[in-house]
Amino acid sequence: MRSKTKIFALIIGVIAAVIAMCFVTACGEEPVEPPAPVYKVTSVRLQYNDENITGGTLSVDVTQNTVQLSASVIKDEQADGTVTYASSEASVATINGSGLVTLLSAGETVITAEAGEKSDSIVLVVGDDMGGAPDEYTITVVGGTSDVSAAAAGEYVTLSATIPEHMDFIAWQFDQQNIWTNGNVFRMPESDITVTADYDDMLYTLNVVGAKVTQAGETADPEGEITGNTEGGSLAEYNITTYKFAYDTPVSLEAIAEPSDKMFVGWDYGTVNNRLGGPESMEYGPFDMPDSTTTVWAVFSPLTTRVFNGGAPWNGQAIYDGAGEPELEGLSGFRFSIPANSSATQAGDYSQENLTGSAINTTQNGTVMAKAILRNSHPTLSVTVELYLTYYDNLQTSGNITVGPGETVTHYFTVGIGVYNPWWGIVLREDVGGNSGSVTLDLVLGTAPMYPSGDRLLAVSGSAQYVNFERALDGSGNPTVNPADYGQGWPRDKVVNNDVGLMSFAIYDGNFGGNGGSIPGYFAAKITNMPAYDPENPTTTVYVRFIYNTNNEDPFGTYDFAVSDDKFFIDLDNEISALDSHHIEVTERGQTEVFKLEIPRSADDNGEYYFGIIKMKMDNGDNLKGHNFSVQLTYNNVMGYTEEA
């Protein structure tokens, strides 16, 4: 009975053990262990006197016997930060586990501290004092400085270059070989040393348009690279050729050959319309290369080969066509037969007037460059002539041109702003000096806008809102103002109102009722595009640019410019009657002035206002001389007006 009880208890124990094992092993599955954490060393830095050793070197003397180093270790808290040290040259120095370095002899060794997977190394330079200071050697630096003037062999010296203006530092040159260097640091040899800073010229960019460089310093025809085209096409006159030159290098340029339909009118330097040099020479320079990127343009302008526009000339002179004659370059003009016994007087013993009109209009395109070619066929006699055009006595002249026997002369001159449909003439300026026969003189003329991208005298700084005026055609078909708006005493005005906001005027004594006629006189033109009335800004401002561009010998004149709500600008007492006016006294040729006129507005003014030019007195130059000027008007200040101080 007792044995059965024991067997039953044994069975119960086995079952209990199996059940317990099932709970522990998840009924037959192995238990899952979590991953062990990984603890790391982040960095190790060797230190001397508790400071990091910078620059990768530490210099000591063997007489110190020992040097205590340490290591700064950054690590996870649980990571093993034990540092081990090693010396690469045990004959120079050894290091124990606590970082104590024993110095044995002069030389160099690499000391390494390692913890975890991180390490740091330095070069330990051990000097041998031998009881005294080591020998020092002199350092000479050409083109710079050093941090010391002398150093012992093996010491490290830092150099600094003194870079001259317009130069680039290249490298250090040593008068010895096998010098250890690292950038601006070198290791001193066991001797004196000279170190020279090597410099090279800093190069600046020169862009040349429509031309090439013929000389740069001592180099003829230096190589350039075509880098673009200012018009985005392939025409040679717009090609951009780029060069690189040192500062102050003398540079000379040559323009390409003139395209068949264009005239070379000069050089622009630095910016468009900054004209330096004219069409007399297709070469420019030498000029000194500046210390910045610079562009120089050879400027080519559309050529008009038939300036004289035909018709019935007063003198019966027929047009002479130079096409097919290389000397005359395909231009047209006249053939004159000048009596050999002609003499020159102030008015000219020989003159030809009104040479079949002209195609010139400088109120639209600005100043014109004229190219006159004169050919004298006489074998022995010279002639001196003056070619001129006149616009109601505004004289534009070539000046005197002398053409020797059998000679062909090319002569350039400008026709300024303010000329519209002029007439031409030629006059003898010196005695011919012959007794019989005649001199055959061919004169042909071509013209081109002086500033094809826009005359600088008319330049604006943005989009201009031009002032427009009422106009009609006069009896000759020329644009003028509505005759109903003429002021008193201004019967022969010449007015052009165009898309550059320019009006041009010719004034002479005939404007005032004949020679020495009535004074004062004025001109009035109705403004046709007055802005709408703005109650928040009830004043309309008109900005005016005055350009006096005549070549007359006596340029002096007095004018008043005004705005009014009435076309009558002078009251019964011969005083100016206007909302605002500005007085100008002309004192020199080429005079320009920018000013403003203000118009106070009201809600019921209907926008009816007038611009006027008033001559309050006769000037000396009015008597048979005349004046010519232009005015450009805008509603926005794009012409550089500034308030007077």
Side-chain angles (χ1 to χ4, degrees):
M1 185 70 179
R2 184 177 295 174
S3 62
K4 289 182 179 180
T5 301
K6 288 181 179 180
I7 292 172
F8 180 77
L10 179 61
I11 293 171
I12 294 299
V14 170
I15 293 171
V18 170
I19 292 172
M21 184 178 295
C22 193
F23 276 112
V24 171
T25 64
C27 298
E29 296 181 6
E30 292 294 328
V32 177
E33 295 291 337
V38 177
Y39 303 109
K40 295 182 178 181
V41 173
T42 304
S43 70
V44 177
R45 290 295 303 273
L46 279 163
Q47 294 185 325
Y48 178 58
N49 291 335
D50 296 325
E51 292 185 356
N52 291 340
I53 300 172
T54 60
T57 62
L58 176 64
S59 296
V60 296
D61 194 273
V62 71
T63 58
Q64 293 178 244
N65 296 322
T66 60
V67 175
Q68 180 65 55
L69 302 182
S70 60
S72 169
V73 179
I74 299 176
K75 65 182 184 65
D76 295 332
E77 183 177 356
Q78 296 89 340
D80 183 2
T82 302
V83 179
T84 59
Y85 298 93
S87 171
S88 65
E89 296 291 339
S91 61
V92 174
T94 60
I95 186 168
N96 66 15
S98 63
L100 181 66
V101 179
T102 301
L103 306 176
L104 301 175
S105 64
E108 294 182 1
T109 184
V110 176
I111 301 295
T112 301
E114 183 175 1
E117 297 182 355
K118 301 294 181 179
S119 65
D120 186 28
S121 297
I122 65 164
V123 176
L124 182 67
V125 181
V126 181
D128 187 359
D129 184 47
M130 300 296 292
D135 291 336
E136 288 192 336
Y137 301 98
T138 301
I139 303 164
T140 302
V141 182
V142 179
T145 59
S146 58
D147 60 343
V148 293
S149 60
E155 291 186 353
Y156 292 86
V157 180
T158 300
L159 301 168
S160 297
T162 304
I163 304 176
E165 191 176 11
H166 310 301
M167 302 290 282
D168 282 324
F169 172 74
I170 304 300
W172 294 104
Q173 304 294 337
F174 299 87
D175 66 348
Q176 301 180 34
Q177 301 200 3
N178 301 321
I179 300 297
W180 180 93
T181 63
N182 182 14
N184 289 323
V185 177
F186 76 95
R187 187 161 55 204
M188 191 69 185
E190 198 171 353
S191 63
D192 294 340
I193 191 169
T194 298
V195 187
T196 302
D198 188 9
Y199 301 107
D200 202 357
D201 287 321
M202 187 179 294
L203 299 181
Y204 299 95
T205 299
L206 174 66
N207 297 311
V208 178
V209 181
K212 70 171 185 176
V213 176
T214 56
Q215 191 78 24
E218 299 298 321
T219 304
D221 296 319
E223 184 176 353
E225 179 184 1
I226 295 179
T227 56
N229 187 283
T230 59
E231 298 298 311
S234 59
L235 294 178
E237 65 262 36
Y238 301 120
N239 278 346
I240 306 168
T241 304
T242 298
Y243 300 84
K244 298 282 188 179
F245 297 125
Y247 171 73
D248 228 20
T249 300
V251 179
S252 297
L253 307 178
E254 181 180 38
I256 65 169
E258 287 179 320
S260 60
D261 59 344
K262 293 185 178 178
M263 180 195 297
F264 172 71
V265 293
W267 298 90
D268 282 353
Y269 181 93
T271 58
V272 173
N273 286 351
N274 181 24
R275 190 59 51 84
L276 295 177
E280 296 82 6
S281 175
M282 299 188 71
E283 297 179 354
Y284 178 65
F287 63 91
D288 294 333
M289 184 66 198
D291 56 354
S292 61
T293 298
T294 301
T295 301
V296 182
W297 291 262
V299 184
F300 298 91
S301 186
L303 173 65
T304 297
T305 59
R306 192 177 180 89
V307 176
F308 303 103
N309 56 19
W314 288 359
N315 59 21
Q317 197 74 32
I319 295 292
Y320 182 79
D321 194 346
E325 299 191 53
E327 277 188 319
L328 303 183
E329 300 182 12
L331 306 180
S332 65
F334 300 97
R335 170 165 285 179
F336 301 105
S337 182
I338 304 174
N341 60 357
S342 296
S343 61
T345 64
Q346 184 174 3
D349 189 301
Y350 175 89
S351 64
Q352 300 288 322
E353 179 75 14
N354 209 45
L355 298 174
T356 70
S358 171
I360 288 181
N361 174 3
T362 66
T363 62
Q364 179 68 48
N365 298 316
T367 304
V368 163
M369 175 61 67
K371 178 180 185 178
I373 302 177
L374 299 94
R375 181 173 61 186
N376 178 5
S377 300
H378 201 281
T380 59
L381 296 177
S382 296
V383 290
T384 298
V385 296
E386 178 184 5
L387 177 67
Y388 65 91
L389 60 83
T390 181
Y391 178 65
Y392 282 86
D393 294 315
N394 171 27
L395 185 64
Q396 306 275 333
T397 175
S398 66
N400 291 352
I401 309 170
T402 298
V403 189
E407 187 178 25
T408 299
V409 171
T410 299
H411 182 86
Y412 294 91
F413 63 100
T414 58
V415 180
I417 290 174
V419 172
Y420 180 82
N421 193 26
W423 62 87
W424 290 78
I426 185 172
V427 64
L428 187 68
R429 288 307 186 197
E430 290 185 8
D431 297 347
V432 178
N435 297 319
S436 61
S438 61
V439 174
T440 299
L441 180 69
D442 295 324
L443 164 66
V444 294
L445 193 69
T447 59
M450 184 70 174
Y451 302 97
S453 59
D455 198 298
R456 56 184 174 182
L457 281 177
L458 304 175
V460 296
S461 60
S463 180
Q465 301 168 19
Y466 293 116
V467 180
N468 295 330
F469 300 93
E470 200 169 67
R471 66 173 184 167
L473 297 178
D474 65 14
S476 301
N478 299 319
T480 183
V481 296
N482 188 333
D485 292 330
Y486 287 177
Q488 294 180 357
W490 205 296
R492 296 191 66 182
D493 57 283
K494 279 280 186 176
V495 182
V496 176
N497 185 9
N498 52 30
D499 59 11
V500 293
L502 195 74
M503 298 197 301
S504 291
F505 300 88
I507 299 174
Y508 67 113
D509 68 334
N511 293 142
F512 309 109
N515 191 6
S518 61
I519 294 294
Y522 65 91
F523 154 86
K526 184 178 180 180
I527 300 174
T528 59
N529 64 337
M530 280 293 294
Y533 172 72
D534 182 358
E536 295 185 1
N537 298 286
T539 298
T540 295
T541 302
V542 173
Y543 296 91
V544 185
R545 172 153 43 202
F546 169 88
I547 304 169
Y548 187 84
N549 209 33
T550 184
N551 287 325
N552 284 342
E553 296 175 3
D554 186 354
F556 306 108
T558 54
Y559 308 96
D560 288 276
F561 299 84
V563 286
S564 175
D565 55 3
D566 193 312
K567 60 187 174 185
F568 298 104
F569 278 79
I570 300 175
D571 61 22
L572 296 177
D573 296 323
N574 280 341
E575 298 291 337
I576 295 176
S577 177
L579 298 172
D580 195 9
S581 64
H582 181 85
H583 184 73
I584 287 182
E585 294 187 9
V586 176
T587 59
E588 60 182 351
R589 301 177 183 90
Q591 181 173 332
T592 63
E593 187 172 335
V594 178
F595 56 92
K596 70 176 181 178
L597 298 171
E598 294 187 331
I599 304 174
R601 304 288 300 279
S602 63
D604 58 352
D605 61 15
N606 296 319
E608 187 167 321
Y609 291 92
Y610 296 82
F611 171 75
I613 304 174
I614 306 162
K615 197 89 167 70
M616 292 300 294
K617 70 171 187 174
M618 180 72 78
D619 293 300
N620 182 51
D622 297 336
N623 185 19
L624 296 179
K625 288 284 187 180
H627 300 281
N628 182 277
F629 59 84
S630 299
V631 288
Q632 190 179 24
L633 297 94
T634 64
Y635 287 118
N636 53 337
N637 185 17
V638 294
M639 297 184 291
Y641 170 79
T642 56
E643 296 283 351
E644 294 183 2

